[in-house]
Amino acid sequence: MKIRALHAPIDESPADLTLVPLPEGRGPLAGGAGLLDWRLEGRLSRLLREGKCAGRDGERFLLLNVSKITAPAVWIEGMGRLGGRPPADLARRLSETLLACRRAGARRINLAADLLAGGDRPFPESGMLAKALEELAAENPSKMAPEDVTLFVLEMNLF
């Protein structure tokens, strides 16, 4: 599994699937997840507002036939509460989700890492998250691992 981190718009990079790990209790979507929400005409925000998707651990939601982004589907994965959870636990959980995405047919996955990496989040840098995922892949090699995973952290400095 090849993992790389980019500071670029997630909606323009080719992939089979876009993965949004969603922590429980997260406020407004920001960064790559916010950009995806905007490109999807607020569909992610609507799911949150209507209580159909809350980020609870193990909660999954799939949006198919999405337009305005290069990936044909968006997989939203509830990650549960982040507070007090060790980064290694979150990386393991995310690694399991990547394997599930691959079993669903995705070989190339774009990962909206903004809600887990950067600033005060469990992974201060997207590179740290990429390294943790690479280490887990090396420890437990799988023929069903995605071939290419790109972590996106969109830094928007508007002012």
Side-chain angles (χ1 to χ4, degrees):
M1 178 167 50
K2 182 175 80 171
I3 301 173
R4 60 191 165 156
L6 292 178
H7 296 272
I10 192 170
D11 60 328
E12 298 174 1
S13 181
D16 301 319
L17 178 79
T18 296
L19 173 60
V20 179
L22 182 65
E24 187 173 0
R26 200 69 186 164
L29 298 173
L35 175 62
L36 284 172
D37 188 39
W38 175 71
R39 297 289 284 159
L40 297 172
E41 299 173 345
R43 287 171 70 182
L44 301 178
S45 291
R46 238 182 341 272
L47 290 172
L48 291 168
R49 199 172 42 253
E50 294 171 358
K52 294 179 181 173
C53 184
R56 289 181 287 275
D57 196 23
E59 179 179 68
R60 289 185 172 155
F61 205 91
L62 187 63
L63 299 174
L64 299 172
N65 303 318
V66 295
S67 59
K68 299 185 181 180
I69 66 171
T70 54
V74 175
W75 178 310
I76 303 164
E77 182 76 19
M79 299 298 290
R81 296 239 176 243
L82 296 184
R85 284 176 72 183
D89 179 47
L90 288 168
R92 191 172 301 102
R93 175 76 177 74
L94 193 52
S95 179
E96 291 166 2
T97 301
L98 289 169
L99 290 173
C101 291
R102 176 62 185 102
R103 284 191 298 273
R107 292 183 178 279
R108 294 177 307 152
I109 299 169
N110 286 343
L111 171 61
D114 304 273
L115 301 175
L116 299 178
D120 62 345
R121 295 174 185 94
F123 296 92
E125 301 173 355
S126 56
M128 295 173 78
L129 176 56
K131 183 177 180 195
L133 291 172
E134 285 173 346
E135 289 172 357
L136 286 169
E139 288 174 15
N140 304 304
S142 170
K143 292 180 182 176
M144 287 303 292
E147 295 169 6
D148 185 23
V149 177
T150 305
L151 280 63
F152 287 86
V153 177
L154 183 61
E155 294 177 351
M156 298 179 71
N157 297 318
L158 300 176
F159 303 103

